[in-house]
Short mmCIF file of all heavy atoms in Angstrom, two decimals:
data_model
loop_
_atom_site.label_atom_id
_atom_site.label_comp_id
_atom_site.label_asym_id
_atom_site.label_seq_id
_atom_site.Cartn_x
_atom_site.Cartn_y
_atom_site.Cartn_z
N CYS A 1 0.83 -1.20 0.00
CA CYS A 1 -0.01 -0.01 0.02
C CYS A 1 0.88 1.25 0.00
O CYS A 1 2.02 1.19 0.46
CB CYS A 1 -0.94 0.03 1.19
SG CYS A 1 -0.21 -0.16 2.78
N VAL A 2 0.32 2.36 -0.52
CA VAL A 2 1.13 3.54 -0.72
C VAL A 2 0.32 4.81 -0.31
O VAL A 2 -0.87 4.90 -0.56
CB VAL A 2 1.52 3.70 -2.22
CG1 VAL A 2 2.20 5.03 -2.49
CG2 VAL A 2 2.41 2.53 -2.65
N VAL A 3 1.02 5.73 0.29
CA VAL A 3 0.50 7.07 0.54
C VAL A 3 1.41 8.09 -0.19
O VAL A 3 2.66 7.94 -0.10
CB VAL A 3 0.49 7.43 2.05
CG1 VAL A 3 0.12 8.91 2.26
CG2 VAL A 3 -0.48 6.54 2.78
N THR A 4 0.85 9.04 -0.90
CA THR A 4 1.63 10.10 -1.49
C THR A 4 1.39 11.39 -0.72
O THR A 4 0.30 11.58 -0.15
CB THR A 4 1.29 10.32 -2.98
OG1 THR A 4 -0.10 10.77 -3.09
CG2 THR A 4 1.52 9.08 -3.77
N ALA A 5 2.38 12.26 -0.67
CA ALA A 5 2.28 13.54 0.09
C ALA A 5 2.94 14.62 -0.70
O ALA A 5 4.12 14.54 -1.04
CB ALA A 5 2.88 13.39 1.48
N GLU A 6 2.19 15.70 -0.97
CA GLU A 6 2.67 16.78 -1.79
C GLU A 6 2.08 18.12 -1.32
O GLU A 6 0.93 18.14 -0.89
CB GLU A 6 2.46 16.57 -3.24
CG GLU A 6 0.96 16.40 -3.62
CD GLU A 6 0.73 15.86 -4.99
OE1 GLU A 6 1.31 16.41 -5.93
OE2 GLU A 6 -0.04 14.92 -5.16
N GLU A 7 2.82 19.17 -1.44
CA GLU A 7 2.33 20.52 -1.16
C GLU A 7 1.84 21.14 -2.51
O GLU A 7 2.34 22.11 -3.02
CB GLU A 7 3.48 21.38 -0.58
CG GLU A 7 3.13 22.75 -0.18
CD GLU A 7 4.29 23.75 -0.24
OE1 GLU A 7 5.34 23.40 -0.84
OE2 GLU A 7 4.12 24.83 0.30
N HIS A 8 0.80 20.46 -3.04
CA HIS A 8 0.33 20.73 -4.39
C HIS A 8 -1.03 20.07 -4.52
O HIS A 8 -1.39 19.18 -3.72
CB HIS A 8 1.34 20.10 -5.39
CG HIS A 8 0.98 20.32 -6.86
ND1 HIS A 8 0.18 19.43 -7.57
CD2 HIS A 8 1.37 21.25 -7.74
CE1 HIS A 8 0.07 19.83 -8.79
NE2 HIS A 8 0.78 20.95 -8.94
N SER A 9 -1.79 20.44 -5.50
CA SER A 9 -3.06 19.80 -5.77
C SER A 9 -2.88 18.29 -6.06
O SER A 9 -1.93 17.87 -6.73
CB SER A 9 -3.74 20.44 -6.97
OG SER A 9 -4.90 19.73 -7.33
N VAL A 10 -3.77 17.48 -5.54
CA VAL A 10 -3.75 16.04 -5.84
C VAL A 10 -4.13 15.82 -7.28
O VAL A 10 -3.91 14.71 -7.83
CB VAL A 10 -4.64 15.20 -4.91
CG1 VAL A 10 -4.16 15.32 -3.47
CG2 VAL A 10 -6.10 15.66 -5.03
N ASN A 11 -4.72 16.81 -7.92
CA ASN A 11 -5.12 16.72 -9.35
C ASN A 11 -3.91 17.02 -10.20
O ASN A 11 -3.49 18.17 -10.33
CB ASN A 11 -6.25 17.68 -9.69
CG ASN A 11 -7.49 17.38 -8.87
OD1 ASN A 11 -7.82 16.23 -8.64
ND2 ASN A 11 -8.20 18.43 -8.45
N GLY A 12 -3.31 16.01 -10.80
CA GLY A 12 -2.22 16.22 -11.77
C GLY A 12 -0.84 16.24 -11.15
O GLY A 12 0.12 16.44 -11.88
N GLY A 13 -0.73 16.09 -9.85
CA GLY A 13 0.56 16.20 -9.21
C GLY A 13 1.27 14.82 -8.99
O GLY A 13 1.07 13.89 -9.73
N LEU A 14 2.02 14.78 -7.90
CA LEU A 14 2.75 13.55 -7.56
C LEU A 14 1.81 12.37 -7.37
O LEU A 14 2.09 11.26 -7.84
CB LEU A 14 3.58 13.79 -6.30
CG LEU A 14 4.30 12.51 -5.74
CD1 LEU A 14 5.33 11.98 -6.69
CD2 LEU A 14 4.89 12.85 -4.34
N GLY A 15 0.74 12.60 -6.66
CA GLY A 15 -0.17 11.50 -6.32
C GLY A 15 -0.74 10.81 -7.57
O GLY A 15 -0.72 9.61 -7.71
N GLU A 16 -1.14 11.62 -8.57
CA GLU A 16 -1.65 11.03 -9.81
C GLU A 16 -0.54 10.37 -10.60
O GLU A 16 -0.77 9.32 -11.24
CB GLU A 16 -2.35 12.10 -10.68
CG GLU A 16 -3.75 12.43 -10.17
CD GLU A 16 -4.58 13.14 -11.21
OE1 GLU A 16 -4.10 13.41 -12.33
OE2 GLU A 16 -5.75 13.43 -10.89
N ALA A 17 0.68 10.92 -10.57
CA ALA A 17 1.78 10.30 -11.29
C ALA A 17 2.09 8.94 -10.69
O ALA A 17 2.31 7.97 -11.42
CB ALA A 17 3.00 11.23 -11.20
N VAL A 18 2.11 8.85 -9.36
CA VAL A 18 2.39 7.56 -8.70
C VAL A 18 1.26 6.58 -8.92
O VAL A 18 1.50 5.39 -9.24
CB VAL A 18 2.63 7.78 -7.19
CG1 VAL A 18 2.67 6.45 -6.43
CG2 VAL A 18 3.95 8.58 -6.96
N ALA A 19 0.02 7.02 -8.79
CA ALA A 19 -1.12 6.13 -8.99
C ALA A 19 -1.16 5.60 -10.39
O ALA A 19 -1.44 4.39 -10.61
CB ALA A 19 -2.44 6.85 -8.65
N HIS A 20 -0.88 6.44 -11.38
CA HIS A 20 -0.83 5.99 -12.76
C HIS A 20 0.26 4.97 -13.00
O HIS A 20 0.03 3.90 -13.63
CB HIS A 20 -0.58 7.20 -13.65
CG HIS A 20 -0.54 6.90 -15.13
ND1 HIS A 20 -0.02 7.77 -16.09
CD2 HIS A 20 -0.88 5.79 -15.85
CE1 HIS A 20 -0.10 7.22 -17.27
NE2 HIS A 20 -0.62 6.03 -17.14
N ALA A 21 1.43 5.19 -12.42
CA ALA A 21 2.57 4.27 -12.61
C ALA A 21 2.24 2.92 -11.97
O ALA A 21 2.50 1.86 -12.53
CB ALA A 21 3.82 4.85 -11.99
N LEU A 22 1.64 2.95 -10.75
CA LEU A 22 1.33 1.70 -10.07
C LEU A 22 0.16 0.92 -10.74
O LEU A 22 0.16 -0.30 -10.72
CB LEU A 22 1.02 1.97 -8.61
CG LEU A 22 2.19 2.48 -7.75
CD1 LEU A 22 1.74 2.80 -6.35
CD2 LEU A 22 3.33 1.40 -7.71
N ALA A 23 -0.76 1.66 -11.32
CA ALA A 23 -1.86 1.02 -12.03
C ALA A 23 -1.33 0.15 -13.18
O ALA A 23 -1.90 -0.87 -13.52
CB ALA A 23 -2.84 2.04 -12.50
N GLU A 24 -0.23 0.59 -13.77
CA GLU A 24 0.36 -0.13 -14.90
C GLU A 24 1.37 -1.19 -14.50
O GLU A 24 1.69 -2.08 -15.32
CB GLU A 24 0.99 0.87 -15.86
CG GLU A 24 0.02 1.85 -16.56
CD GLU A 24 0.67 2.69 -17.61
OE1 GLU A 24 1.88 2.97 -17.48
OE2 GLU A 24 -0.03 3.11 -18.56
N THR A 25 1.90 -1.06 -13.29
CA THR A 25 2.98 -1.97 -12.92
C THR A 25 2.74 -2.81 -11.68
O THR A 25 3.04 -4.02 -11.68
CB THR A 25 4.28 -1.13 -12.64
OG1 THR A 25 4.00 -0.22 -11.56
CG2 THR A 25 4.79 -0.43 -13.90
#
């Protein structure tokens, strides 16, 4: 399981990048 943390919107930021990568791998 994974938690992402960023000082940025969850829309389009680190969280979405990580979720996209993990969805494929």
Side-chain angles (χ1 to χ4, degrees):
C1 55
V2 173
V3 173
T4 63
E6 58 192 310
E7 185 208 11
H8 181 273
S9 173
V10 296
N11 299 322
L14 172 66
E16 282 199 358
V18 169
H20 181 195
L22 292 176
E24 293 187 332
T25 58

